[in-house]
Protein backbone atom coordinates (compact mmCIF):
# COMPACT_ATOMS: atom_id res chain seq x y z
CA UNK A 1 0.00 0.00 0.00
CA UNK A 2 2.85 2.31 0.92
CA UNK A 3 4.59 1.76 -2.42
CA UNK A 4 1.39 2.48 -4.33
CA UNK A 5 0.83 5.69 -2.39
CA UNK A 6 4.43 6.80 -2.98
CA UNK A 7 4.10 6.05 -6.70
CA UNK A 8 0.85 8.02 -6.88
CA UNK A 9 2.39 11.02 -5.12
CA UNK A 10 5.41 10.87 -7.43
CA UNK A 11 3.15 10.82 -10.50
CA UNK A 12 1.17 13.78 -9.17
CA UNK A 13 4.40 15.73 -8.62
CA UNK A 14 5.54 14.81 -12.14
CA UNK A 15 2.28 16.00 -13.69
CA UNK A 16 2.29 19.20 -11.62
CA UNK A 17 5.89 19.90 -12.63
CA UNK A 18 5.20 19.38 -16.31
CA UNK A 19 2.09 21.56 -16.12
CA UNK A 20 4.05 24.40 -14.53
CA UNK A 21 6.82 24.09 -17.13
CA UNK A 22 4.36 24.08 -20.04
CA UNK A 23 2.54 27.09 -18.59
CA UNK A 24 5.72 29.15 -18.24
CA UNK A 25 7.38 28.24 -21.55
CA UNK A 26 4.75 27.22 -24.11
CA UNK A 27 6.20 23.71 -24.38
CA UNK A 28 3.85 20.76 -24.86
CA UNK A 29 3.89 17.46 -22.98
CA UNK A 30 5.90 15.61 -25.61
CA UNK A 31 8.54 18.35 -25.40
CA UNK A 32 8.74 17.82 -21.63
CA UNK A 33 9.09 14.06 -22.04
CA UNK A 34 11.86 14.52 -24.63
CA UNK A 35 13.78 16.96 -22.42
CA UNK A 36 13.43 14.75 -19.34
CA UNK A 37 14.77 11.72 -21.21
CA UNK A 38 17.63 13.67 -22.82
CA UNK A 39 18.67 15.31 -19.58
CA UNK A 40 18.68 12.04 -17.59
CA UNK A 41 20.55 10.14 -20.30
CA UNK A 42 23.39 12.65 -20.32
CA UNK A 43 23.50 13.26 -16.58
CA UNK A 44 23.66 9.67 -15.40
CA UNK A 45 20.23 9.90 -13.74
CA UNK A 46 17.98 6.86 -13.51
CA UNK A 47 14.89 6.92 -15.81
CA UNK A 48 12.55 6.57 -12.82
CA UNK A 49 13.77 9.78 -11.12
CA UNK A 50 11.35 12.72 -11.00
CA UNK A 51 13.22 15.80 -12.21
CA UNK A 52 10.58 18.17 -10.87
CA UNK A 53 11.62 17.63 -7.27
CA UNK A 54 14.79 16.95 -5.31
CA UNK A 55 16.71 14.57 -7.54
CA UNK A 56 20.24 14.83 -6.13
CA UNK A 57 21.60 17.39 -8.63
CA UNK A 58 25.33 17.86 -8.10
CA UNK A 59 27.00 20.61 -10.19
CA UNK A 60 30.43 19.09 -9.46
CA UNK A 61 29.66 15.95 -11.43
CA UNK A 62 27.07 17.29 -13.90
CA UNK A 63 27.90 16.72 -17.56
CA UNK A 64 25.59 19.57 -18.60
CA UNK A 65 28.46 22.01 -19.05
CA UNK A 66 28.87 24.36 -22.07
CA UNK A 67 30.71 21.62 -23.99
CA UNK A 68 28.21 18.97 -22.92
CA UNK A 69 25.29 21.16 -23.93
CA UNK A 70 26.77 21.73 -27.40
CA UNK A 71 27.31 18.00 -27.86
CA UNK A 72 24.02 16.67 -26.49
CA UNK A 73 21.86 19.31 -28.21
CA UNK A 74 23.91 19.18 -31.46
CA UNK A 75 24.34 22.94 -31.38
CA UNK A 76 27.33 24.74 -32.84
CA UNK A 77 29.81 25.63 -30.05
CA UNK A 78 29.70 29.36 -30.86
CA UNK A 79 25.93 29.43 -30.44
CA UNK A 80 25.85 26.92 -27.59
CA UNK A 81 28.10 29.20 -25.55
CA UNK A 82 25.59 32.07 -25.73
CA UNK A 83 22.59 29.79 -25.15
CA UNK A 84 24.27 28.24 -22.13
CA UNK A 85 25.12 31.64 -20.68
CA UNK A 86 21.47 32.64 -20.94
CA UNK A 87 20.25 29.38 -19.36
CA UNK A 88 22.75 29.21 -16.48
CA UNK A 89 20.83 31.47 -14.12
CA UNK A 90 22.95 30.82 -11.04
CA UNK A 91 26.23 31.03 -12.95
CA UNK A 92 27.67 27.79 -11.57
CA UNK A 93 28.84 26.55 -14.98
CA UNK A 94 26.33 23.70 -15.21
CA UNK A 95 22.63 23.35 -15.92
CA UNK A 96 20.16 21.77 -13.56
CA UNK A 97 17.00 20.44 -15.18
CA UNK A 98 14.93 23.54 -14.37
CA UNK A 99 17.47 25.83 -16.06
CA UNK A 100 17.81 23.49 -19.02
CA UNK A 101 14.09 22.96 -19.66
CA UNK A 102 13.08 26.60 -19.21
CA UNK A 103 15.97 27.77 -21.37
CA UNK A 104 15.01 25.34 -24.11
CA UNK A 105 11.43 26.60 -23.96
CA UNK A 106 12.45 30.24 -24.16
CA UNK A 107 14.69 29.63 -27.19
CA UNK A 108 12.25 27.47 -29.16
CA UNK A 109 8.91 28.90 -28.05
CA UNK A 110 9.89 32.21 -26.54
CA UNK A 111 8.93 35.77 -27.29
CA UNK A 112 10.69 38.17 -29.61
CA UNK A 113 12.28 39.78 -26.55
CA UNK A 114 13.82 36.46 -25.51
CA UNK A 115 15.21 35.85 -29.01
CA UNK A 116 16.57 39.39 -29.04
CA UNK A 117 18.24 38.77 -25.67
CA UNK A 118 19.95 35.68 -27.08
CA UNK A 119 21.22 37.61 -30.11
CA UNK A 120 22.61 40.22 -27.72
CA UNK A 121 24.60 37.53 -25.91
CA UNK A 122 25.89 35.95 -29.13
CA UNK A 123 27.16 39.20 -30.62
CA UNK A 124 28.45 40.91 -27.50
CA UNK A 125 31.87 39.92 -28.80
CA UNK A 126 33.93 41.61 -26.07
CA UNK A 127 31.63 40.59 -23.18
CA UNK A 128 31.10 44.24 -22.24
CA UNK A 129 27.32 43.75 -21.88
CA UNK A 130 26.88 46.40 -24.56
CA UNK A 131 26.81 46.37 -28.35
CA UNK A 132 28.89 48.94 -30.19
CA UNK A 133 28.46 49.95 -33.82
CA UNK A 134 30.85 47.30 -35.11
CA UNK A 135 29.15 44.49 -33.16
CA UNK A 136 25.70 45.49 -34.42
CA UNK A 137 26.96 45.52 -38.01
CA UNK A 138 28.53 42.09 -37.49
CA UNK A 139 25.27 40.80 -36.01
CA UNK A 140 23.09 42.03 -38.86
CA UNK A 141 25.52 40.97 -41.58
CA UNK A 142 25.99 37.50 -40.07
CA UNK A 143 22.27 36.81 -39.70
CA UNK A 144 21.27 38.02 -43.15
CA UNK A 145 24.13 36.27 -44.94
CA UNK A 146 23.98 33.08 -42.88
CA UNK A 147 20.30 32.53 -43.57
CA UNK A 148 20.81 33.17 -47.26
CA UNK A 149 23.76 30.76 -47.37
CA UNK A 150 21.71 28.12 -45.55
CA UNK A 151 18.94 28.52 -48.08
CA UNK A 152 21.19 28.46 -51.15
CA UNK A 153 23.21 25.45 -50.01
CA UNK A 154 20.24 23.38 -48.88
CA UNK A 155 18.98 20.64 -51.17
CA UNK A 156 15.49 21.04 -49.77
CA UNK A 157 13.48 22.88 -47.14
CA UNK A 158 15.34 23.63 -43.90
CA UNK A 159 14.27 23.98 -40.32
CA UNK A 160 11.81 21.93 -38.33
CA UNK A 161 8.64 23.86 -39.02
CA UNK A 162 6.55 24.87 -41.99
CA UNK A 163 7.43 28.51 -41.33
CA UNK A 164 11.16 27.78 -41.31
CA UNK A 165 10.93 25.74 -44.51
CA UNK A 166 8.97 28.45 -46.28
CA UNK A 167 11.47 31.15 -45.32
CA UNK A 168 14.48 29.18 -46.50
CA UNK A 169 12.90 28.10 -49.78
CA UNK A 170 11.74 31.62 -50.51
CA UNK A 171 15.27 32.90 -49.95
CA UNK A 172 16.70 30.14 -52.12
CA UNK A 173 14.42 30.93 -55.04
CA UNK A 174 15.08 34.67 -54.72
CA UNK A 175 18.87 34.22 -54.55
CA UNK A 176 18.90 31.99 -57.63
CA UNK A 177 17.55 34.85 -59.73
CA UNK A 178 20.10 37.47 -58.63
CA UNK A 179 23.69 37.95 -59.73
CA UNK A 180 26.04 37.19 -56.76
CA UNK A 181 27.75 40.59 -57.01
CA UNK A 182 24.41 42.36 -57.05
CA UNK A 183 23.20 40.22 -54.15
CA UNK A 184 26.26 41.19 -52.12
CA UNK A 185 25.54 44.87 -52.71
CA UNK A 186 21.93 44.36 -51.66
CA UNK A 187 23.09 42.66 -48.45
CA UNK A 188 25.54 45.48 -47.71
CA UNK A 189 22.78 48.05 -48.18
CA UNK A 190 20.40 46.07 -45.97
CA UNK A 191 23.06 45.71 -43.27
CA UNK A 192 23.69 49.46 -43.19
CA UNK A 193 19.98 50.32 -43.26
CA UNK A 194 19.17 47.92 -40.42
CA UNK A 195 22.18 48.97 -38.32
CA UNK A 196 21.26 52.64 -38.68
CA UNK A 197 17.65 51.91 -37.76
CA UNK A 198 18.69 50.00 -34.63
CA UNK A 199 20.92 52.83 -33.41
CA UNK A 200 18.36 55.47 -34.19
CA UNK A 201 15.85 53.71 -31.92
CA UNK A 202 18.03 52.10 -29.26
CA UNK A 203 20.97 54.42 -28.63
CA UNK A 204 18.91 56.86 -26.57
CA UNK A 205 21.85 58.67 -24.97
CA UNK A 206 23.80 58.76 -28.26
CA UNK A 207 26.97 57.37 -26.65
CA UNK A 208 27.63 54.91 -29.49
CA UNK A 209 26.85 51.84 -27.39
CA UNK A 210 23.62 49.92 -26.79
CA UNK A 211 23.10 48.10 -23.51
CA UNK A 212 20.67 45.23 -23.07
CA UNK A 213 17.83 47.44 -21.80
CA UNK A 214 18.25 49.86 -24.69
CA UNK A 215 18.37 46.98 -27.17
CA UNK A 216 14.99 45.70 -26.03
CA UNK A 217 13.37 49.09 -26.66
CA UNK A 218 13.44 48.14 -30.35
CA UNK A 219 10.38 45.99 -29.68
CA UNK A 220 8.38 48.63 -27.80
CA UNK A 221 5.31 50.05 -29.59
CA UNK A 222 5.72 53.40 -31.29
CA UNK A 223 2.88 54.87 -29.24
CA UNK A 224 -0.22 53.98 -27.26
CA UNK A 225 -2.23 54.23 -30.48
CA UNK A 226 0.32 52.58 -32.76
CA UNK A 227 1.37 49.03 -31.71
CA UNK A 228 3.97 48.84 -34.48
CA UNK A 229 7.43 48.14 -32.99
CA UNK A 230 9.76 51.12 -32.86
CA UNK A 231 12.29 49.22 -34.94
CA UNK A 232 10.53 46.97 -37.49
CA UNK A 233 13.93 46.22 -39.03
CA UNK A 234 15.03 44.20 -36.00
CA UNK A 235 11.67 42.42 -35.92
CA UNK A 236 12.25 41.39 -39.53
CA UNK A 237 15.57 39.85 -38.48
CA UNK A 238 14.03 38.10 -35.47
CA UNK A 239 11.30 36.57 -37.60
CA UNK A 240 13.94 34.42 -39.29
CA UNK A 241 14.24 32.46 -36.04
CA UNK A 242 10.54 32.11 -35.35
CA UNK A 243 8.96 28.66 -35.26
CA UNK A 244 12.16 26.63 -35.51
CA UNK A 245 14.25 24.40 -33.29
CA UNK A 246 17.47 25.15 -31.43
CA UNK A 247 19.39 23.71 -34.39
CA UNK A 248 17.97 26.45 -36.59
CA UNK A 249 20.48 28.79 -34.93
CA UNK A 250 23.35 26.62 -36.18
CA UNK A 251 23.59 28.51 -39.46
CA UNK A 252 24.95 31.48 -37.46
CA UNK A 253 27.60 29.33 -35.81
CA UNK A 254 28.67 27.76 -39.09
CA UNK A 255 28.91 31.17 -40.75
CA UNK A 256 30.98 32.52 -37.84
CA UNK A 257 33.26 29.47 -38.01
CA UNK A 258 33.98 29.97 -41.71
CA UNK A 259 33.97 33.76 -41.94
CA UNK A 260 34.75 34.79 -38.38
CA UNK A 261 32.85 37.31 -36.29
CA UNK A 262 35.62 39.88 -36.07
CA UNK A 263 34.50 43.33 -37.23
CA UNK A 264 35.89 44.69 -40.47
CA UNK A 265 37.61 48.07 -40.60
CA UNK A 266 34.51 49.73 -42.04
CA UNK A 267 32.34 48.37 -39.24
CA UNK A 268 33.79 50.97 -36.89
CA UNK A 269 32.59 53.89 -39.03
CA UNK A 270 30.08 56.14 -37.36
CA UNK A 271 26.43 55.23 -37.68
CA UNK A 272 24.48 58.41 -38.14
CA UNK A 273 21.15 57.94 -36.31
CA UNK A 274 19.76 61.00 -38.03
CA UNK A 275 20.25 59.57 -41.50
CA UNK A 276 17.14 58.80 -43.49
CA UNK A 277 15.80 55.26 -43.35
CA UNK A 278 13.57 54.04 -46.12
CA UNK A 279 11.41 51.00 -45.64
Amino acid sequence: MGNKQAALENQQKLEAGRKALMSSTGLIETDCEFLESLYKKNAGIKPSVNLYGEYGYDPKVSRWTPDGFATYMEVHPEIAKAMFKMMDEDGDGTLDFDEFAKGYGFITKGSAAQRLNLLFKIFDLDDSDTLDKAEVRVMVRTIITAFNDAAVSSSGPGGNSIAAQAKLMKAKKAAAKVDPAKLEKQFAKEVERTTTAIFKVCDANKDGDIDRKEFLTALEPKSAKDPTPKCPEIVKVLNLFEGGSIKQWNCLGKFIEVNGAAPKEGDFDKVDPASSITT
Side-chain angles (χ1 to χ4, degrees), residues 3 11 15 72 75 84-85 114 126 161 186 200 279:
N3 289 338
Q11 183 62 30
E15 292 175 357
Y72 307 145
V75 180
F84 187 94
K85 186 177 179 181
Q114 287 162 338
D126 57 4
S161 69
Q186 288 179 355
K200 182 177 181 180
T279 57

Side-chain angles (χ1 to χ4, degrees), residues 33-46:
E33 293 171 352
F34 163 73
L35 295 176
E36 291 161 16
S37 176
L38 183 67
Y39 188 86
K40 291 175 185 178
K41 178 182 178 182
N42 295 295
I45 298 175
K46 293 180 179 179

Side-chain angles (χ1 to χ4, degrees), residues 21 24 41-42 44 48 75 85 115 123 138 144 151 157 162 206 212-213 236 251 258:
L21 179 61
S24 64
K41 178 182 178 182
N42 295 295
S48 60
V75 180
K85 186 177 179 181
R115 293 197 298 277
F123 291 100
V138 170
I144 291 175
I162 294 175
K206 304 295 186 288
R212 194 185 310 276
K213 186 176 180 180
K236 182 179 178 181
C251 66
V258 174

Side-chain angles (χ1 to χ4, degrees), residues 115-117 119-120 123 130-144 189-220 222 229-241 270-279:
R115 293 197 298 277
L116 195 62
N117 186 47
L119 285 177
F120 188 100
F123 291 100
T130 61
L131 296 178
D132 59 27
K133 303 173 183 68
E135 288 171 325
V136 171
R137 279 199 178 99
V138 170
M139 177 187 73
V140 176
R141 180 173 62 243
T142 299
I143 293 170
I144 291 175
K189 185 177 180 180
E190 183 68 13
V191 167
E192 190 59 31
R193 188 178 75 89
T194 302
T195 301
T196 300
I198 291 171
F199 267 87
K200 182 177 181 180
V201 171
C202 299
D203 189 16
N205 58 7
K206 304 295 186 288
D207 65 351
D209 290 313
I210 299 173
D211 62 30
R212 194 185 310 276
K213 186 176 180 180
E214 288 178 321
F215 198 43
L216 291 174
T217 61
L219 300 176
E220 294 178 354
K222 290 182 178 179
K230 290 180 179 178
C231 186
E233 289 80 9
I234 197 65
V235 174
K236 182 179 178 181
V237 169
L238 287 175
N239 284 344
L240 291 171
F241 298 98
K270 181 179 178 181
V271 174
D272 181 7
S275 64
S276 60
I277 303 171
T278 57
T279 57

Side-chain angles (χ1 to χ4, degrees), residues 69-81 83 246-247 249-250:
F69 177 81
T71 300
Y72 307 145
M73 299 305 296
E74 300 179 23
V75 180
H76 193 282
E78 290 287 344
I79 306 305
K81 183 170 64 175
M83 289 181 174
I246 277 185
K247 293 180 185 178
W249 292 75
N250 278 346

